[in-house]
Amino acid sequence: MKPDLQRIASQFALEGAIASIDSLGDGFINDTFIVRTAGDAPDYILQRKNRSVFPDVPAMMENIRKVTEHIRRRVVAAGGDPLREVMTVVPTRDGALCYEDEKGDFWAVTVYIADTIAYNKADTAELARKGGEGIGKFQAQLADFNEPLAETIKGFHNIRHRFAQWDEALARDAAGRKKDLAEEIGWIESRRAEMLAFWSKVEDGTIPTHVTHNDTKINNILFDKQGRVLCAIDLDTVMNSTSLNDFGDAIRSYANTGDEDDRDLSRVSLSLEMFAAYTDGYLSQRAAQLCPAEIDHLAFSARYITYEQVLRFLMDYLDGDTYYKIKYPEHNLVRTHAQYKLLCSMEEQYPEMCRIVRETADKYR
Ligand code: GN1
Ligand code: MG
């Protein structure tokens, strides 16, 4: 049975009468709707949070509240627009940050920021530069944030934890697909040691942790119509991790010449032009705050997160497609191949990526 969206939306403290509710966007995890209201009242984003992905939605919404309130103070102090340069969580009429329906699904509402654009692809270096500036600014706004945050998804970008899940998925072989995936499994296994070596530097504190976004693909940044970055959206995964992961995850999307799920692998590669542009925007905001170990591992973080994404798509395929929404039966395998092609392209161009990071960091320090 379809959820009664009208009734669910009216649990929240919305201004104005609800005029319409429609589906929005193509996130892989949550279900998203736009609630349009009559008259001058703002419109709203209503989301059903995916409860099999997020075990504790109230704790997640509490994270989002803390982080957005912090950013709002920073925006106001800088003379910015607190209604457009940060997301605003709208509570229920009872003052809760989310609403649980009778099926046990959790819903949350934020203010819809009008006259904005969310891109699915970076077509120009200028856009990649702005995107880098956006995440750099987001991290800089949170550099002095020191409240505790819940871990909304355990070990999200922790490859040691991902390997534990991976080993279980292989042993389970829930969908009976393992026998056809020897080559793909080899891609993961042959890089296990180098990925763990990187992560052990986070575990031993060589690479510090901060509050980070953790899902920085391009459509999670809102731009205004003049092409300026307004704010980061989709804050479900804000929690402690390394700043590097936000950089790497963004490169995975901004600098891919093809699509994340491209069937035509000849279209997929790392664009050094986009990489350089994103790096320039990012470091223009962050170079002064990052430590040498972070700068030294920035280029590697793109390989790390892309590798992790190959593992996650392949693991979901092995599991029988239980995590990511898919549009056709082989979708997770197609995603795996496309992300692996991107990873290989990064590996080939890695010396150049490192050079670009070094030169850009020098420019801003
Ligand atoms: C998911 O929710 P969305 O579509 O922005 C996923 C990311 C993946 C991404 C792959 C909570 O992001 O980690 O990198 O898909 N989010 C979660 O495109 O798992
Ligand atoms: Mg998203």
Side-chain angles (χ1 to χ4, degrees):
M1 211 183 74
K2 281 211 169 143
D4 183 348
L5 295 172
Q6 184 82 25
R7 196 187 59 76
I8 291 163
S10 56
Q11 305 301 312
F12 289 86
L14 310 184
E15 287 172 40
I18 297 172
S20 64
I21 305 181
D22 297 294
S23 268
L24 185 77
D26 50 6
F28 292 2
I29 307 291
N30 299 318
D31 299 311
T32 305
F33 303 89
I34 176 155
V35 180
R36 297 200 190 274
T37 60
D40 292 340
D43 295 334
Y44 298 91
I45 297 290
L46 169 68
Q47 274 195 319
R48 174 166 50 196
K49 302 292 184 178
N50 185 323
R51 63 174 155 161
S52 58
V53 169
F54 299 108
D56 189 348
V57 177
M60 171 171 97
M61 294 307 300
E62 188 58 28
N63 280 0
I64 297 175
R65 182 193 65 76
K66 287 177 181 167
V67 163
T68 52
E69 283 181 3
H70 183 94
I71 295 177
R72 194 177 323 282
R73 285 192 289 274
R74 298 288 301 262
V75 167
V76 169
D81 181 346
L83 291 175
R84 293 178 65 76
E85 293 175 35
V86 62
M87 277 176 64
T88 304
V89 177
V90 179
T92 66
R93 297 194 186 279
D94 303 332
L97 297 177
C98 51
Y99 167 71
E100 183 179 1
D101 69 16
E102 40 297 313
K103 283 171 58 193
D105 279 325
F106 282 93
W107 298 79
V109 169
T110 54
V111 173
Y112 174 76
I113 306 176
D115 301 318
T116 57
I117 309 178
Y119 296 91
N120 279 319
K121 227 173 148 36
D123 289 326
T124 65
E126 186 52 21
L127 188 65
R129 194 186 182 287
K130 293 279 182 219
E133 228 177 84
I135 286 297
K137 189 169 151 200
F138 175 84
Q139 290 184 349
Q141 285 169 326
L142 290 168
D144 61 343
F145 179 94
N146 49 23
E147 296 172 64
L149 289 181
E151 191 176 19
T152 47
I153 301 181
K154 188 172 182 293
F156 192 53
H157 287 316
N158 172 342
I159 206 72
R160 196 179 298 284
H161 180 77
R162 293 292 181 189
F163 281 131
Q165 295 178 327
W166 165 256
D167 290 337
E168 283 170 21
L170 278 179
R172 252 194 326 263
D173 191 17
R177 290 171 168 170
K178 187 174 142 185
K179 59 181 185 330
D180 301 320
L181 297 170
E183 187 185 350
E184 290 83 353
I185 292 169
W187 299 340
I188 300 300
E189 295 301 341
S190 62
R191 292 166 177 83
R192 192 190 272 249
E194 80 180 318
M195 295 302 158
L196 281 171
F198 168 77
W199 192 250
S200 65
K201 291 181 192 162
V202 177
E203 291 167 326
D204 72 15
T206 309
I207 296 170
T209 58
H210 304 280
V211 180
T212 52
H213 184 287
N214 294 304
D215 189 4
T216 47
K217 68 182 175 187
I218 183 167
N219 65 12
N220 285 334
I221 290 282
L222 273 192
F223 293 78
D224 71 11
K225 297 254 163 91
Q226 288 70 45
R228 285 180 305 237
V229 167
L230 282 175
C231 60
I233 55 174
D234 199 354
L235 301 177
D236 294 353
T237 52
V238 272
M239 52 188 156
N240 277 297
S241 187
T242 94
S243 297
L244 301 181
N245 289 341
D246 282 354
F247 178 84
D249 202 15
I251 294 304
R252 186 181 74 74
S253 98
Y254 284 83
N256 185 352
T257 54
D259 295 327
E260 190 183 52
D261 57 353
D262 225 309
R263 284 176 178 278
D264 179 357
L265 295 181
S266 70
R267 296 184 59 223
V268 177
S269 66
L270 176 93
S271 157
L272 281 178
E273 187 198 3
M274 295 295 176
F275 177 79
Y278 189 93
T279 304
D280 192 80
Y282 177 72
L283 286 176
S284 72
Q285 306 297 309
R286 285 290 277 163
Q289 295 160 354
L290 297 180
C291 71
E294 290 174 297
I295 300 282
D296 288 348
H297 292 87
L298 214 48
F300 189 81
S301 73
R303 288 170 56 185
Y304 178 83
I305 288 287
T306 306
Y307 171 88
E308 182 196 277
Q309 197 64 66
V310 177
L311 183 154
R312 290 175 65 197
F313 283 147
L314 184 56
M315 185 162 73
D316 199 30
Y317 187 67
L318 275 163
D319 273 338
D321 312 307
T322 59
Y323 187 92
Y324 291 110
K325 289 183 192 167
I326 53 168
K327 294 196 171 136
Y328 51 90
E330 306 292 297
H331 202 168
N332 273 319
L333 187 60
V334 169
R335 288 166 170 156
T336 302
H337 282 241
Q339 290 290 291
Y340 180 66
K341 174 76 195 301
L342 179 63
L343 175 63
C344 293
S345 175
M346 289 175 177
E347 289 172 345
E348 280 156 25
Q349 302 185 83
Y350 186 56
E352 274 295 286
M353 293 165 70
C354 291
R355 184 186 60 75
I356 289 167
V357 168
R358 268 196 314 274
E359 289 177 6
T360 313
D362 287 347
K363 173 173 153 192
Y364 289 112
R365 278 193 300 189

